[in-house]
Amino acid sequence: MAGDQLKVLNALDVAKTQWYHFTAIIIAGMGFFTDAYDLFCISLVTKLLGRIYYHIPGSTKPGTLPPNVAAAVNGVAFCGTLAGQLFFGWLGDKLGRKKVYGMTLMVMVLCSVASGLSFGDKPKSVMTTLCFFRFWLGFGIGGDYPLSATIMSEYANKKTRGAFVSAVFAMQGFGIMAGGIFAIIISSAFEAKFPAPAYADDAVASTVPQADFVWRIILMVGAIPAAMTYYSRSKMPETARYTALVAKDAKQAASDMSRVLQVEIEAEQEKVEEISANKSKAFSLFSKEFMKRHGLHLLGTTSTWFLLDIAFYSQNLFQKDIFSAIGWIPPAQTMNAIQEVFKIARAQTLIALCSTVPGYWFTVAFIDVIGRFAIQMMGFFFMTVFMFALAIPYNHWTHKENRIGFVIMYSLTFFFANFGPNATTFVVPAEIFPARFRSTCHGISAASGKLGAMVGAFGFLYLAQSPDKNKTDAGYPPGIGVRNSLLVLGVVNFLGILFTFLVPESKGKSLEEMSGENDDNESNNDSRTVPIV
């Protein structure tokens, strides 16, 4: 049990919170800051792309991206992210966390810059180039999920590990906010320098030629924070858990952590060899023994992340209605192209400031106090309640005088997503699997989430269309309507509550205790979901 733990790992588990913990949070967190900036900044410029490249002469409304192009531009990064999570997760267990960590960052830097470039000036060539580079940008972003979570969990002490890992994830909120703020600054500067009439006054003049630079600058700036942390990542030592338990080099692990913790740590090579010689721990990924020990845990982490992301990414359905309802975004024809970027960026920044960021940091504050299980259950429960509260009396919320209530309920749904499963589904897979599978299993769980994100973002975009074909958005077939879509999302969140019972509580336990790597018994059946009081 705990007495069998290597001294170098025990030293990390019992270490007081030190400067190196905060350094690790900043280095890993800046990756997530960049991830969020890059993934969410595309939503700020899709309307602008429609105006520039899909303008229809004589139309009363500005040009918009056709449904298939909009789905490709918004969704291709998700496809890349899913592939990157699986590939880099696996590679992180094969080559080591540190070696692969720098690779993901370089892919992100190069593809952020490249996504602002285009070959040719025709809509098809611009969109094809944009989609190509955003796929590979997503591929790099995908690698950041399992590696950042694994590195932070393996560096942290067991008392505050949940707060440290969720603090890395919480940097997403700042990334979303930074994207909005930068778009506000750029659009304001271009509007001041190149004023233009509203679309209704002069359709052609409302989109100035310089507007083509706006979206490119916004996308390319995502490379800067990633590039700034590359040197720091290259200087981080490999995690002791990978070096000792996977690479089986006790001397290097002790040397690295002695330098980090600034204490003398004894290298225990014989003990490392003894652990590696234990046949009961030599099972492979997806073997019968792995499924017996960790199969239900993996089902729990993949299913809850999948269900959470369906609900979380479906928010795109309602944002345009909400923003219009409360006057944050006026009708498109009353603005010029750059003004529209400004208004959309302002709305996204306000949502991030009021709902997204606070939810993340509530999780950081409470995850090591009340535990992962309680936060995830509470989050899914309130998301279920609020989805049904929006859906059942949906006609009530559509009346103008009730729209503020709709906005409050909508905001609370996503507050409890972030102070709930959006954070815990990221934290738990980095804590409950053996070191040699940790990065891979986190990557599988995260990829399952991205699959859910695609269902939420695109499946529901079609599903939420009106059943009346005369009332659907241009280019979309009839669906089941917004009310029924909200009811389906309520059921999805309820299923999240049920699958949470498969996920073990890891609060206050060492990683080896959770994964059974200190356990001499044939199987590790002591990872109970709900802690015993």
Side-chain angles (χ1 to χ4, degrees), residues 244-280:
L245 298 175
V246 184
K248 301 178 178 47
D249 188 342
K251 189 177 177 184
Q252 187 63 50
S255 168
D256 287 343
M257 293 308 108
S258 294
R259 199 164 66 250
V260 167
L261 297 170
Q262 297 179 329
V263 293
E264 276 301 313
I265 300 173
E266 181 190 341
E268 301 171 283
Q269 190 61 41
E270 300 83 8
K271 202 165 183 178
V272 166
E273 286 165 8
E274 190 183 313
I275 291 168
S276 60
N278 187 338
K279 295 293 181 210
S280 71

Side-chain angles (χ1 to χ4, degrees), residues 156-176:
N157 61 49
K158 63 183 179 182
K159 187 180 174 186
T160 56
R161 185 178 61 237
F164 290 159
V165 180
S166 51
V168 169
F169 192 64
M171 292 298 283
Q172 271 200 337
F174 290 128
I176 295 168

Side-chain angles (χ1 to χ4, degrees), residues 51 62 197-201 329-336 339:
R51 284 188 185 238
Y199 184 88
D201 298 331
I329 300 179
Q333 57 269 33
T334 65
M335 301 177 282
N336 67 40
Q339 284 170 344

Side-chain angles (χ1 to χ4, degrees), residues 354-398:
C354 300
S355 178
T356 310
V357 172
Y360 282 127
W361 291 98
F362 264 73
T363 302
V364 174
F366 291 106
I367 192 166
D368 288 312
V369 178
I370 61 177
R372 290 77 164 141
F373 178 82
I375 288 178
Q376 188 159 310
M377 284 294 281
M378 175 194 69
F380 270 129
F381 172 77
F382 281 112
M383 287 172 74
T384 305
V385 168
F386 288 125
M387 282 293 185
F388 283 132
L390 289 171
I392 293 166
Y394 181 69
N395 291 334
H396 167 81
W397 299 118
T398 56

Side-chain angles (χ1 to χ4, degrees), residues 6-265:
L6 292 168
K7 288 177 183 175
V8 65
L9 305 186
N10 189 55
L12 283 166
D13 277 343
V14 300
K16 289 189 172 72
T17 300
Q18 298 175 32
W19 179 245
Y20 85 88
H21 287 121
F22 295 107
T23 307
I25 288 170
I26 293 164
I27 293 169
M30 283 308 286
F32 263 84
F33 177 95
T34 307
D35 297 349
Y37 181 100
D38 288 333
L39 279 178
F40 288 91
C41 69
I42 194 70
S43 64
L44 301 171
V45 298
T46 45
K47 298 277 190 190
L48 179 60
L49 290 169
R51 284 188 185 238
I52 295 170
Y53 295 106
Y54 292 90
H55 170 66
I56 300 168
S59 173
T60 55
K61 289 184 178 179
T64 56
L65 297 177
N68 60 330
V69 176
V73 168
N74 287 301
V76 72
F78 287 155
C79 299
T81 304
L82 189 154
Q85 286 162 337
L86 293 172
F87 176 72
F88 286 115
W90 169 79
L91 207 60
D93 284 333
K94 292 296 174 192
L95 301 182
R97 293 42 162 146
K98 181 192 168 178
K99 280 183 185 172
V100 184
Y101 210 27
M103 289 183 208
T104 63
L105 214 56
M106 284 314 298
V107 172
M108 284 157 60
V109 170
L110 293 171
C111 293
S112 285
V113 173
S115 60
L117 308 173
S118 55
F119 305 129
D121 57 1
K122 296 287 183 288
K124 192 172 182 181
S125 61
V126 172
M127 295 303 140
T128 303
T129 309
L130 179 61
C131 288
F132 176 79
F133 286 117
R134 280 193 67 78
F135 174 86
W136 291 108
L137 173 65
F139 191 68
I141 288 170
D144 230 39
Y145 276 72
L147 293 168
S148 289
T150 301
I151 286 170
M152 197 65 242
S153 72
E154 291 183 346
Y155 263 111
N157 61 49
K158 63 183 179 182
K159 187 180 174 186
T160 56
R161 185 178 61 237
F164 290 159
V165 180
S166 51
V168 169
F169 192 64
M171 292 298 283
Q172 271 200 337
F174 290 128
I176 295 168
M177 211 158 67
I181 291 167
F182 183 71
I184 287 169
I185 293 166
I186 287 292
S187 56
S188 300
F190 271 76
E191 174 63 14
K193 184 73 175 169
F194 309 105
Y199 184 88
D201 298 331
D202 189 334
V204 176
S206 69
T207 306
V208 294
Q210 292 82 2
D212 197 44
F213 291 111
V214 172
W215 70 268
R216 297 175 191 276
I217 293 167
I218 289 170
L219 295 187
M220 291 167 90
V221 160
I224 294 172
M228 284 166 63
T229 51
Y230 181 76
Y231 178 77
S232 304
R233 282 197 182 188
S234 67
K235 291 296 173 189
M236 278 181 91
E238 180 57 86
T239 71
R241 286 180 161 91
Y242 182 85
T243 308
L245 298 175
V246 184
K248 301 178 178 47
D249 188 342
K251 189 177 177 184
Q252 187 63 50
S255 168
D256 287 343
M257 293 308 108
S258 294
R259 199 164 66 250
V260 167
L261 297 170
Q262 297 179 329
V263 293
E264 276 301 313
I265 300 173

